[in-house]
Amino acid sequence: EAQVTQNPRYLITVTGKKLTVTCSQNMNHEYMSWYRQDPGLGLRQIYYSMNVEVTDKGDVPEGYKVSRKEKRNFPLILESPSPNQTSLYFCASSVTESPGELFFGEGSRLTVL
Amino acid sequence: AQSVSQHNHHVILSEAASLELGCNYSYGGTVNLFWYVQYPGQHLQLLLKYFSGDPLVKGIKGFEAEFIKSKFSFNLRKPSVQWSDTAEYFCAVKVYYKLSFGAGTTVTVRA
């Protein structure tokens, strides 16, 4: 089944404790992206990747890191999480380097205490 | 950077009523436009998209949208809503490699 898989789906952590949210897609998509969803603000793009080893900042990259060493994986790293990073995170992928239809993962709800 | 504005935060209507959700964007160049829907507890799904050609685009579940370039708008419509259309609707605009979303409109359909 074609899908975007995120882990963990739910996480409660404490300020400063490094964490990684994994994202994997099995559709051989070129483009991958991370968004955070907050009430009243919609989805805001954190980082995106047009292809392996090619990443760029979205609108809200501060406090996040990404890497794209393999085509299928695009992990989101929070080096030192803070409470303002409490949010619902979505990973998405698209067939081509310039994104058309995005296919979304199920979301990862992160709480930073 | 482009911005995407959705006019309504929350819309409440009865079954069989018509729905129109507004979306405006700020970028003056070539854009691709999308409407996504998020049903309660689910991830986003594509409703429809506009890349070029006929500015009136038909999507799934009876939705359609009209691209008006002069108004920088891409409004979503459905002639007759059902209870199952209760969801959050997001307009999105793509410029080069960046795909930006609006804040979303929550639609509640009362039976």
Side-chain angles (χ1 to χ4, degrees):
Chain A
E1 180 188 354
Q3 58 186 2
V4 179
T5 304
Q6 297 178 224
N7 280 296
R9 295 287 313 282
Y10 302 91
L11 180 63
I12 300 174
T13 189
V14 295
T15 299
K17 186 176 181 181
K18 180 179 178 179
L19 69 93
T20 299
V21 185
T22 64
C23 174
S24 181
Q25 51 93 3
N26 62 1
M27 297 170 281
N28 202 37
H29 283 178
E30 303 287 340
Y31 183 94
M32 297 185 74
S33 183
W34 277 101
Y35 290 87
R36 59 178 290 175
Q37 183 178 16
D38 301 288
L41 297 176
L43 281 86
R44 293 178 292 168
Q45 192 172 41
I46 303 171
Y47 271 95
Y48 60 94
S49 170
M50 297 83 85
N51 214 321
V52 175
E53 302 291 3
V54 183
T55 64
D56 206 350
K57 297 177 180 178
D59 296 316
V60 288
E62 295 77 19
Y64 304 95
K65 285 176 58 177
V66 293
S67 67
R68 186 95 181 272
K69 293 183 170 53
E70 305 166 280
K71 197 172 188 178
R72 64 183 294 127
N73 296 323
F74 191 46
L76 180 70
I77 303 161
L78 286 73
E79 292 273 3
S80 182
S82 62
N84 64 13
Q85 293 178 296
T86 292
S87 187
L88 178 60
Y89 291 86
F90 286 100
C91 180
S93 69
S94 184
V95 174
T96 56
E97 286 188 355
S98 181
E101 177 180 0
L102 284 176
F103 293 84
F104 283 85
E106 297 293 327
S108 296
R109 187 167 293 281
L110 172 65
T111 301
V112 184
L113 302 175
Chain B
Q2 72 271 24
S3 66
V4 185
S5 300
Q6 292 186 237
H7 306 158
N8 309 98
H9 178 64
H10 194 179
V11 173
I12 302 172
L13 56 167
S14 300
E15 276 192 313
S18 64
L19 172 70
E20 180 160 1
L21 302 181
C23 173
N24 286 90
Y25 60 94
S26 62
Y27 186 71
T30 301
V31 296
N32 299 139
L33 300 159
F34 307 82
W35 276 97
Y36 282 83
V37 61
Q38 186 177 31
Y39 298 105
Q42 297 186 25
H43 58 81
L44 279 79
Q45 304 167 42
L46 182 69
L47 267 181
L48 47 79
K49 61 188 176 186
Y50 174 79
F51 276 37
S52 62
D54 188 344
L56 185 60
V57 180
K58 294 194 183 300
I60 61 171
K61 306 188 182 200
F63 285 92
E64 64 179 30
E66 184 176 12
F67 170 51
I68 302 179
K69 189 174 182 179
S70 61
K71 295 185 178 180
F72 299 91
S73 71
F74 190 55
N75 292 352
L76 181 71
R77 298 193 289 254
K78 185 170 184 177
S80 177
V81 295
Q82 301 171 315
W83 177 82
S84 58
D85 292 321
T86 293
E88 191 160 15
Y89 294 81
F90 294 92
C91 179
V93 177
K94 189 195 85 170
V95 177
Y96 300 114
Y97 298 104
K98 291 192 66 178
L99 207 160
S100 301
F101 286 80
T105 298
T106 300
V107 173
T108 301
V109 179
R110 292 181 170 160

